[in-house]
Amino acid sequence: MPRLSRVVAFSIASLAAAGTAFADPPAAPVLAKPKQVIIISFDSARDISQWKRSRALAARTGAHFTYFVSCVFLLSPQTRNEYTAPGKTSGKSNIGFAASKQEVAERLGQINLAISEGHDIGSHGCGHFDGKDWCKADWLSEFGSFEHVLQNAYSINGIAPEPAGWREFASKAVVGFRAPYLSANRALYEALPAAGFRFDASGVSRGPVEPPTANGITRFSLPQIPEGPSSRPVIAMDYNLYVRHSGGFERPSMAAEFADRTYDAFRAAFDAQYAGKRIPLELGFHFALMNDGAYWNALERFTGEVCVKADVECISFRDYVSRHDAKQVAAVGG
C-alpha cells in the first residue's frame, strides 16, 4: 500500500507540474473596430445664415462637411446669362439665381472660409434641372458651366479682389458631384470621369453600404433608414423626411415632434452601425429650414452627441475618398 500511495502521489505531482501543457491556448487578440464614419452633406448651399450655422456646428463638433454648391447662386440677376442649361435658353434656372452682387460676394466669402476650415466643396450642377434624359454631352455641358462660373465668379460679377489661388481651387479641388433630385442615368457615369470627378453621391440604397468604385468614380448612396412609429424606411435626407412628415407642407406646430422623430431615426441608424459593422452612415440636408427648422435641430442634436466621440469621425466625401485611395496605393506598394 505504501508503494501504491507513492505512485499516486507521484502521478498527481506530475500532472500538476505539467498542468500548463493541458491549458487552453491563448485567445487570439481582438482586433479594434474601425472608427465609425459619418458623412454629412448639404445640397445647393444658398442661404448665408445657414452657411454660418453649419460652419459653427462643425467648429463645435470637429466635423467636416461636403457642400454641393449650385453655380446659379454665384450669378446675380445681371449676370444670369452666363449660364445656359442643356436644351434651355440662357439665364434659365429651376431654383433662381442670387438676389444681388452683394449676396454673391457674401456667398463666395463663406465658400472661402469653408475651404480654409477643411470642408469639401462639391458640384450640384447649376440650374437644378432633372438630367434623367440627358446624354453624355449634356452632362459635360452642365459640368463645364459649373466650372466656368466657379472659376470666374469674381470677374463675372465684378467682385474684387479675387483671392489668391481661387482659380486653382476651382479647377482642381472640386472632385465630387450630386445630381439634382438624385436623378442619375448611365450617361452621367460616362461623363463623370471624363470631367475629372472622383466621386458621385447621387445614389440611394436600402441601408448603409460600403461605396464601390468603378471607372475611377466612387459611388456613394444615401441610405434608407427606419423612421417613425411603424419604422418605415425613408431616405436619410431632410427633404424626404419633410415629405414623409407633412406632405411637403409647413406644419410648424409639429416641429418639435418632427425633430424628435428625425433624431430618433438618425440615432437608431447610427447605433446599428456603431454596434455592428461600422459601415459609413450618410445624411443629406439642404439649407432650407423645413417644418420650422425641425431637421436642422435634429442634425445639431445628433451631431453634437456622436461626432465628438473618440471612435467616431464626421468627415467629408472627399476625405473619405482620399483615404481610400491612399490605402489602395499603400497596398499596391506593399
Side-chain angles (χ1 to χ4, degrees), residues 101-159:
K101 171 182 173 178
Q102 179 61 33
E103 186 188 289
V104 173
E106 292 178 11
R107 188 167 294 109
L108 288 168
Q110 290 298 313
I111 291 173
N112 275 298
L113 287 170
I115 294 166
S116 71
E117 292 159 0
H119 298 292
D120 174 25
I121 305 299
S123 170
H124 199 42
C126 287
H128 212 275
F129 292 105
D130 188 339
K132 68 178 184 300
D133 296 322
W134 285 358
C135 64
K136 179 180 178 180
D138 291 332
W139 284 111
L140 290 174
S141 174
E142 184 77 351
F143 297 154
S145 293
F146 179 92
E147 186 173 5
H148 166 74
V149 172
L150 187 65
Q151 283 188 17
N152 299 283
Y154 285 89
S155 59
I156 286 172
N157 293 284
I159 299 169

Side-chain angles (χ1 to χ4, degrees), residues 217-235:
I217 301 297
T218 302
R219 295 172 63 166
F220 294 92
S221 297
L222 285 166
Q224 296 180 69
I225 60 175
E227 190 277 334
S230 60
S231 296
R232 286 192 299 132
V234 65
I235 296 173

